[in-house]
Amino acid sequence: MSKIHAADVREWRNRDVVDLKGHKIGVLESIYVNTATDESAMATVRIGLPTRQRLAFVPLDDAVLGPDYVRVAYPKALVKKAPSVGMDDILPAEEEEAIFQHYDMAYRTGANGERQLARR
């Protein structure tokens, strides 16, 4: 199992993102790292119709790299309902916790209140 490293993002950008059953969710746009560990934590996935696309967040824990895809450990329906941003928007700090709640994950800011995610 290969782990996605932030340095590899350019290589994986625009690859299909699929769920455990192989259903295509969308296309990998960018990687967000955990600011405490600098490990890849979340990806944004381009979903929606070409004229109405948005970027949905999906955790990368247990993600697997295939020859031309990234398989995530979450079902397509759950990812499609995840918090998202517009194609040219950035994630506001106050909306970060909602992503973790959507996936029933613990959310921890840094010791001085720093955000948990940073885009790479």
Side-chain angles (χ1 to χ4, degrees):
M1 170 179 4
S2 300
K3 197 166 168 80
I4 298 177
H5 298 283
D8 301 333
V9 172
R10 281 183 225 80
E11 182 181 329
W12 288 97
R13 199 163 178 227
N14 296 319
R15 299 279 176 109
D16 287 347
V17 176
V18 300
D19 67 10
L20 288 173
K21 294 183 177 178
H23 298 124
K24 182 177 175 183
I25 299 170
V27 176
L28 183 74
E29 179 69 22
S30 60
I31 302 290
Y32 282 73
V33 297
N34 182 317
T35 56
T37 64
D38 210 36
E39 292 284 320
S40 300
M42 297 264 178
T44 53
V45 182
R46 234 179 359 228
I47 61 174
L49 301 171
T51 55
R52 298 185 56 197
Q53 288 187 327
R54 59 191 173 93
L55 300 173
F57 288 82
V58 63
L60 289 173
D61 52 321
D62 298 323
V64 175
L65 298 177
D68 57 356
Y69 63 85
V70 177
R71 186 172 62 228
V72 295
Y74 298 90
K76 179 179 180 176
L78 184 65
V79 177
K80 294 247 181 192
K81 293 178 185 168
S84 62
V85 295
M87 290 298 295
D88 296 321
D89 297 336
I90 58 166
L91 176 65
E94 61 273 10
E95 293 179 23
E96 210 175 70
E97 187 172 4
I99 296 166
F100 287 81
Q101 289 174 345
H102 180 76
Y103 291 103
D104 291 324
M105 298 170 69
Y107 177 73
R108 291 179 208 83
T109 56
N112 297 314
E114 299 93 346
R115 18 184 346 156
Q116 187 169 337
L117 297 174
R119 186 175 171 179
R120 290 286 187 258

